[in-house]
Amino acid sequence: MNRAETALSFKHSGFNCCQSVLLSYEKELGMSRDELIKLGAGFGTGMGTTKATCGALIGAVMVDGILSSRRSPSAARGILTDFENKCGAVTCGDLKGVKTGVELCSCDQCIVNAISAIEN
């Protein structure tokens, strides 16, 4: 099973998008599963259920921040740009088409794209 499939299995087991991305990097992050679940808990449905920044994207930025030697906001900007180019937006509300009725990207695809953005 590749990392994206692992993350999707977490999502389909009841974890939010942020938690799913974080948990797919559990071995590399050096944190316990419980710590990662707690860390990502507040970012479901667009940061605290506000439909703001996508949780999968937040998880990707967290993972990169922990694993990367790059310690600047520009690293996060690269992940955000890659994610936005693939998904069409960065906020959960826009991705789900809350105002327009047109979904730009499913949660599953957001998770896959977030992992891809980390690995680019």
Side-chain angles (χ1 to χ4, degrees):
M1 186 179 309
N2 69 32
R3 192 175 313 274
E5 292 168 338
T6 299
L8 292 175
S9 72
F10 284 118
K11 175 66 174 157
H12 297 165
S13 296
F15 294 100
N16 70 38
C17 295
C18 183
Q19 291 168 323
S20 298
V21 171
L22 291 170
L23 289 168
S24 74
Y25 284 88
E26 180 179 359
K27 291 176 186 168
E28 295 86 351
L29 294 175
M31 298 171 72
S32 73
R33 181 169 290 199
D34 189 54
E35 289 171 320
L36 294 171
I37 291 168
K38 289 176 182 177
L39 180 64
F43 299 101
T45 319
M47 199 177 304
T49 71
T50 64
K51 298 187 181 36
T53 305
C54 171
L57 175 58
I58 292 168
V61 171
M62 287 181 191
V63 167
D64 187 67
I66 294 168
L67 296 181
S68 177
S69 61
R70 302 171 289 176
R71 301 286 181 226
S72 73
S74 62
R77 180 66 181 180
I79 289 173
L80 183 142
T81 300
D82 186 78
F83 181 89
E84 185 173 26
N85 287 340
K86 290 176 180 164
C87 295
V90 297
T91 65
C92 184
D94 290 341
L95 291 162
K96 301 298 144 234
V98 171
K99 292 180 182 173
T100 64
V102 176
E103 183 179 64
L104 298 177
C105 197
S106 69
C107 289
D108 282 4
Q109 193 60 51
C110 286
I111 289 169
V112 170
N113 291 341
I115 289 171
S116 173
I118 295 167
E119 296 178 357
N120 282 341

